[in-house]
Amino acid sequence: MMLQPHNLAFRTALALTLGLAACGGPDLPAPPPRVELQGTPVATFQPSTGKTSVVLDFLVRDAAGRPVDPATAQVRRLVDGREVDVESVPDFRDTKLTSNLRVGMVLDASYSMTQWKPAAFAPMTQAALDTQRSIRDQFSAWNTGTFSALLGWFQDAYVCESAPSMPDVAVLDIPTPVPGDATKLFAATARMVDRMKQQYDAIVAPGSSDHFAMVVFTDGWDNYSWYDNSAAPAVSYPAAGGNFSCAGTAPVSLDGLLEKLRAFPQLEVHVIGLGNDLRASELSAIAATGHGQFVSNPDSSQVASLFQQIAREFTTTRRDGITMPLPPGEYQYEQQIEVNGRVARVKFRFRAGDAGAGVRPETIVTQ
């Protein structure tokens, strides 16, 4: 892509706009957060104690759509409108989630990534490494499922990938781009979608709590995915734990990529765009079709924070609920999550007190 000069006035205006959007504008109350359930809540009866447990996994987003660290939110739990006592709230930190997480990263190794002031290429690879490690560590801390990370990158006419057995640190061995290296964004992203689908198909009976996500990082618009070099000989680059394998691709259009994403609705795609000369409409379309977030920032010094923002998508899921000696019957459960004085809610009906305990999914309401 052709870089535009960094514009301080533009960045200042953008920061002001984002700030006003997050707080609701001058003299307006901040918009409320929203809660996203990660799977259907569960209610179970324990005959040996006579108690019923209600458990739900959820993600909280602030008004700008960013995931909120659960430690910063205030939580209330109500049964039939009455707040439960502290004895009825177990420490769910010791009750790990059981799900599988697969994360794919597609990184831009075109020449323009080296031309930012400061250059963005090295910060991108370091941020990708930090993100992979952070997600891996946090996932293992609160989950009994499995985690794996796939790495892909594009440089001029080739799309490259690491083997699953290569360590996270291999990302630092992506070769530095040289003048002339173009952008094959659509082709590289389409290849990662195919790899993620293979991961999905390899899991026996994947459930609603299993998560398949991609992070795409680029500073430019696609200018080379139209080129068919699928017959070109493969090349490789040495890296920690093995070699990156690189190959040419058949032509891939934006429409073709979006069609792939529609055919794989279980995949969530987040796009990080660096720069004020982005094809935002194209990147937004990729994220929207992939049910993910599009994050952009015109300042290359913010690369690490952009990756951290996306990483919170995978590491801020919270498990919460109650365990109470409720007599047999039907009840309403309400979870209130307060962020900066505004409240998000989840409500649903559940049966308690006997073997018929369970949640009525058709009654679930989020606000």
Side-chain angles (χ1 to χ4, degrees):
M1 66 171 283
M2 181 174 295
L3 297 178
Q4 299 291 331
H6 286 226
N7 187 310
L8 179 59
F10 173 84
R11 297 204 301 272
T12 302
L14 177 67
L16 178 59
T17 300
L18 292 176
L20 291 177
C23 70
D27 303 320
L28 294 177
R34 69 177 188 271
V35 60
E36 295 178 2
L37 287 174
Q38 308 293 292
T40 303
V42 175
T44 56
F45 176 63
Q46 303 161 10
S48 61
T49 64
K51 296 180 179 180
T52 299
S53 293
V54 176
V55 180
L56 60 160
D57 303 325
F58 58 90
L59 178 71
V60 181
R61 296 187 186 278
D62 64 16
R66 296 180 295 259
V68 175
D69 184 346
T72 66
Q74 302 297 316
V75 177
R76 298 179 65 206
R77 309 154 191 88
L78 299 89
V79 173
D80 284 350
R82 297 182 61 183
E83 189 164 5
V84 303
D85 58 63
V86 66
E87 295 178 353
S88 299
V89 183
D91 186 352
F92 283 99
R93 290 175 299 179
D94 295 329
T95 307
K96 292 188 175 184
L97 308 178
T98 302
S99 61
N100 300 294
L101 174 61
R102 304 288 183 267
V103 176
M105 288 195 179
V106 179
L107 305 183
D108 187 339
S110 59
Y111 180 64
S112 58
M113 288 291 294
T114 67
Q115 299 305 294
W116 286 88
K117 304 298 181 184
F121 178 74
M124 175 192 68
T125 55
Q126 183 62 54
L129 173 60
D130 294 342
T131 299
Q132 286 181 321
R133 285 175 168 172
S134 175
I135 294 174
R136 190 184 299 277
D137 292 346
Q138 294 183 64
F139 182 85
S140 62
W142 51 259
N143 207 300
T144 59
T146 60
F147 169 78
S148 67
L150 298 179
L151 173 65
W153 47 278
F154 55 93
Q155 191 170 84
D156 204 44
Y158 283 88
V159 172
C160 307
E161 59 190 50
S162 62
S165 59
M166 293 170 66
D168 293 337
V169 73
V171 68
L172 300 182
D173 293 323
I174 296 176
T176 301
V178 298
D181 283 344
T183 300
K184 219 170 188 184
L185 172 64
F186 300 157
T189 304
R191 171 57 187 155
M192 183 59 75
V193 174
D194 291 340
R195 295 177 69 193
M196 295 295 292
K197 185 61 165 62
Q198 293 170 2
Q199 293 273 308
Y200 178 83
D201 291 340
I203 295 179
V204 178
S208 60
S209 60
D210 293 326
H211 203 55
F212 301 83
M214 279 174 53
V215 180
V216 181
F217 186 97
T218 183
D219 77 337
W221 60 73
D222 187 289
N223 59 12
Y224 215 11
S225 290
W226 60 269
Y227 177 54
D228 184 354
N229 66 329
S230 55
V235 298
S236 64
Y237 296 94
N243 294 281
F244 291 122
S245 58
C246 305
T249 67
V252 179
S253 66
L254 174 61
D255 288 342
L257 170 57
L258 299 182
E259 184 176 348
K260 270 185 182 293
L261 293 175
R262 294 188 190 100
F264 187 9
Q266 299 85 359
L267 179 63
E268 188 175 289
V269 182
H270 305 284
V271 180
I272 298 176
L274 173 69
N276 55 17
D277 196 26
L278 293 168
R279 288 279 179 90
S281 60
E282 296 179 347
L283 301 184
S284 295
I286 294 171
T289 306
H291 314 290
Q293 301 289 312
F294 170 47
V295 181
S296 63
N297 192 301
D299 186 350
S300 60
S301 67
Q302 300 300 312
V303 169
S305 65
L306 293 177
F307 271 86
Q308 291 166 6
Q309 182 171 330
I310 293 297
R312 285 195 292 271
E313 293 281 338
F314 318 125
T315 58
T316 53
T317 297
R318 177 167 180 166
R319 168 160 287 182
D320 204 88
I322 59 170
T323 296
M324 296 180 66
L326 295 168
E330 188 170 292
Y331 301 83
Q332 177 173 282
Y333 181 83
E334 179 176 345
Q335 186 101 9
Q336 297 183 359
I337 304 99
E338 181 178 334
V339 179
N340 297 325
R342 302 303 301 274
V343 177
R345 294 176 173 84
V346 179
K347 299 179 182 179
F348 52 84
R349 306 288 297 177
F350 70 100
R351 173 79 188 182
D354 56 28
V359 171
R360 290 177 50 190
E362 72 276 8
T363 66
I364 296 174
V365 175
T366 59
Q367 300 173 327

